[in-house]
Amino acid sequence: MFKPARHGEVGGVSLQRSQQQKPLRSHDRLNLCAEMSYKIVNLRVRDVRFPTSLEQHGSDAMHTDPDYSAAYVVLDTDSGLKGFGLTFTLGKGTEIVLCAVKALAGLVIGKSLQEIVSNFRGFYRLLTSDGQMRWLGPEKGVIHLATAAVLNAVWDLWARAEGKPLWKLLVDMDPKQIVSCIDFRYITDVLTEEEALDILVKAQEGKKQREDQMLKEGYPAYTTSCAWLGYSDQQLKQLCSDALKSGWTRFKVKVGADLEDDIRRCRLIRKMIGPSSTLMIDANQRWDVAEAISWVSRLAEVKPLWIEEPTSPDDILGHAAISKALAPLGIGVATGEQCHNRVMFKQFLQASALQFIQIDSCRLGSVNENLAVLLMAYKFQVPVCPHAGGVGLCELVQHLILFDYICVSADLRNRMCEYVDHLHEHFTSPVVIQDAHYMPPKDPGYSCEMLEESVNRHEYPEGDIWKQEIQK
Ligand SMILES: C[C@H](O)[C@@H](O)[C@@H](O)[C@H](O)C(=O)O
Ligand SMILES: [Mg+2]
């Protein structure tokens, strides 16, 4: 059974003085309604799946039948306010994530939001460092996906309690409070707390203009939904021509299963979008290192900006070798959607193994760990181009990239956020895309809440959608 940690302790281990969270001074605190502590009294988690594989939406060279799914978390508080969070999965296995979320529930229930956010670094540690459960990770795999779902719900609750969309909650925070949410353990050799603070303080200049700019123009996006691997050439053409009409200028194509098909499909798209539009290719980990280099060299004629996930997501030195070999062709390497944690990102950066860093709102330990990666990326001057799509990933990650632009990078060169046009209708505050840009969300929260009816219909296996599928 989990024993609540005493002050200065995480998972029964006493923290070094320097790692302890300094209590926030009163002026650092946000406006959490003074008389409201928002005590979390219950955590519910549901297995929600969408049968996207039936039409090959989301298919790639390794995931040929993805059913976009979520472990969907709802936190109930004593005040009636709820927090909604999720992590993304591909169908089978979502029930395992549910088990992991349930295993973490005891660390959350009974805590007040005030208690959590006044020592968010400590709370992140509590979830990721439990003396028994960390054996399942640490900070990777199913337990980390579950951590993301739970923490996403906590951040959603916090933003709702403040009456702000999450990006605005972050933008309005004092830089000291931002760094107080980050666990710097294992990354201080490249980024110390002081350096992080320095980056954030320097970026205060021009913040207001950048916020206004985002509210007016939105954040640039690219689309992946024209060219899933399982789509026919006919479908590709139709979707690409529709996207061009709607103002899209940046496109990603799935590759990696068959070289001749890739050449044909990429030529087709390049021809349709013209030389000045941007094309990216994504192999979803299909190749070995040498194979990746030779395959992508054959596709160099279509001038891809990047090759995404050319090989195993764990092979940092392999990515470095591919980056080096493809640099003369003007092709960068992008990865991150399956990068476990900030430590791996640190090494990718140290090894110059990627030229585009793809954070993921549900793979890393929520906002807390993503903040660490955004700051490391800034230090190494590597552009962040978040992974999105799936179910809910666009809704979530738009908040993080808005924060990145307004408060960290202040730069839009070579930067764009992924977009796919699936399943937004199931959310209470779906993303708003205008002229191929993400428009900043206005509703309070982290945009994770799904429509109750959608959850009921898609819950696995009892929902109507799945009952019908099972009967077929
Ligand atoms: C199975 C999924 O659709 C992936 O193919 C998808 O996340 C993809 O890698 C992407 O970059 O969007
Ligand atoms: Mg990808």
Side-chain angles (χ1 to χ4, degrees):
M1 249 216 6
F2 166 72
K3 285 196 266 68
R6 289 197 305 274
H7 182 72
E9 272 190 8
V10 166
V13 181
S14 181
L15 299 179
Q16 304 273 312
R17 221 184 127 48
S18 64
Q19 295 171 322
Q20 282 182 21
Q21 173 71 44
K22 287 169 210 108
L24 291 170
R25 293 187 309 272
S26 56
H27 69 267
D28 293 334
R29 287 180 202 264
L30 296 181
N31 319 319
L32 277 179
C33 184
E35 63 281 10
M36 261 333 166
S37 72
Y38 301 106
K39 184 171 170 191
I40 297 166
V41 291
N42 197 16
L43 182 158
R44 291 172 283 150
V45 57
R46 296 171 77 179
D47 182 339
V48 187
R49 306 189 191 182
F50 299 86
T52 41
S53 63
L54 295 176
E55 293 180 84
Q56 290 285 290
H57 304 317
S59 55
D60 64 49
M62 297 296 265
H63 312 100
T64 48
D65 58 350
D67 281 336
Y68 279 177
S69 308
Y72 181 61
V73 171
V74 182
L75 299 176
D76 295 305
T77 65
D78 58 354
S79 72
L81 191 71
K82 295 185 196 315
F84 301 87
L86 59 85
T87 194
F88 171 63
T89 59
L90 289 188
K92 285 179 206 151
T94 309
E95 64 268 40
I96 304 175
V97 186
L98 256 65
C99 289
V101 169
K102 286 176 190 161
L104 294 173
L107 303 178
V108 183
I109 296 170
K111 297 245 175 344
S112 72
L113 180 62
Q114 185 74 61
E115 209 180 327
I116 293 174
V117 304
S118 61
N119 182 8
F120 217 154
R121 178 185 300 162
F123 185 69
Y124 177 89
R125 279 268 183 106
L126 181 76
L127 289 196
T128 52
S129 312
D130 177 85
Q132 297 186 354
M133 280 192 287
R134 76 182 297 283
W135 203 259
L136 302 178
E139 294 178 273
K140 56 177 160 288
V142 172
I143 193 73
H144 213 41
L145 293 173
T147 302
V150 171
L151 286 173
N152 284 341
V154 171
W155 279 96
D156 180 67
L157 180 65
W158 189 5
R160 283 167 191 265
E162 294 287 344
K164 293 178 182 178
L166 179 106
W167 68 268
K168 179 68 173 152
L169 171 74
L170 293 171
V171 163
D172 289 348
M173 268 189 198
D174 182 276
K176 281 199 193 111
Q177 186 154 25
I178 295 280
V179 296
S180 79
C181 298
I182 301 173
D183 187 351
F184 286 88
R185 177 147 69 181
Y186 310 135
I187 60 170
T188 50
D189 49 336
V190 305
L191 184 78
T192 62
E193 192 170 338
E194 292 69 34
E195 281 175 300
L197 190 60
D198 194 46
I199 293 171
L200 290 165
V201 168
K202 287 200 176 115
Q204 295 287 305
E205 198 190 319
K207 201 170 108 173
K208 178 77 180 79
Q209 290 92 302
R210 290 192 292 278
E211 183 179 334
D212 290 346
Q213 180 196 355
M214 287 294 106
L215 286 165
K216 206 159 132 239
E217 295 166 15
Y219 195 89
Y222 74 86
T223 177
T224 306
S225 38
C226 301
W228 296 114
L229 202 84
Y231 284 180
S232 67
D233 287 8
Q234 191 47 42
Q235 232 173 328
L236 235 69
K237 277 193 216 155
Q238 184 60 52
L239 291 167
C240 187
S241 117
D242 294 347
L244 285 165
K245 281 187 207 132
S246 318
W248 291 94
T249 57
R250 304 169 170 111
F251 298 79
K252 192 162 84 186
V253 179
K254 293 286 168 180
V255 297
D258 180 282
L259 181 57
E260 293 316 312
D261 281 350
D262 290 351
I263 295 173
R264 190 188 70 256
R265 286 157 51 90
C266 289
R267 279 183 185 163
L268 189 155
I269 298 274
R270 175 51 89 197
K271 194 160 166 241
M272 288 188 76
I273 67 177
S276 57
S277 288
T278 308
L279 181 70
M280 283 83 64
I281 53 176
D282 185 357
N284 289 88
Q285 314 161 20
R286 180 70 181 234
W287 308 306
D288 281 8
V289 173
E291 194 184 11
I293 296 167
S294 66
W295 196 301
V296 177
S297 303
R298 290 287 310 277
L299 295 173
E301 60 162 87
V302 298
K303 301 209 176 322
L305 175 67
W306 75 53
I307 172 65
E308 179 171 323
E309 290 201 300
T311 190
S312 161
D314 298 355
D315 188 356
I316 297 166
L317 297 183
H319 279 78
I322 297 167
S323 295
K324 200 164 168 203
L326 296 180
L329 300 175
I331 304 172
V333 168
T335 193
E337 68 186 65
Q338 295 213 358
C339 182
H340 311 305
N341 54 42
R342 65 193 178 285
V343 188
M344 296 227 9
F345 272 121
K346 177 187 82 172
Q347 290 198 16
F348 271 107
L349 291 165
Q350 285 174 308
S352 305
L354 44 65
Q355 289 69 52
F356 299 90
I357 194 160
Q358 298 179 302
I359 56 161
D360 184 293
S361 53
C362 294
R363 170 86 42 197
L364 293 179
S366 188
V367 179
N368 312 68
E369 196 170 29
N370 270 300
L371 290 171
V373 177
L374 294 179
L375 289 159
M376 287 193 291
Y378 177 80
K379 178 154 178 206
F380 283 84
Q381 286 294 295
V382 171
V384 179
C385 297
H387 173 238
V391 56
L393 298 180
C394 300
E395 273 69 21
L396 290 152
V397 90
Q398 59 178 338
H399 292 270
L400 304 181
I401 201 63
L402 284 165
F403 168 77
D404 183 58
Y405 176 63
I406 298 169
C407 295
V408 183
S409 77
D411 194 353
L412 288 178
R413 282 169 307 159
N414 261 337
R415 289 159 194 269
M416 53 196 148
C417 186
E418 182 171 16
Y419 175 72
V420 311
D421 199 7
H422 309 297
L423 307 174
H424 303 295
E425 65 279 15
H426 299 291
F427 288 84
T428 57
S429 303
V431 286
V432 177
I433 298 284
Q434 260 172 37
D435 198 21
H437 286 67
Y438 277 91
M439 300 314 290
K442 296 201 167 83
D443 293 341
Y446 198 2
S447 312
C448 307
E449 185 183 0
M450 285 184 175
L451 297 170
E452 190 60 21
E453 200 209 329
S454 293
V455 177
N456 291 339
R457 276 172 64 72
H458 293 88
E459 186 156 20
Y460 187 86
E462 306 87 25
D464 286 351
I465 295 285
W466 292 106
K467 274 200 213 133
Q468 285 161 23
E469 280 308 310
I470 292 160
Q471 273 159 20
K472 271 184 197 164

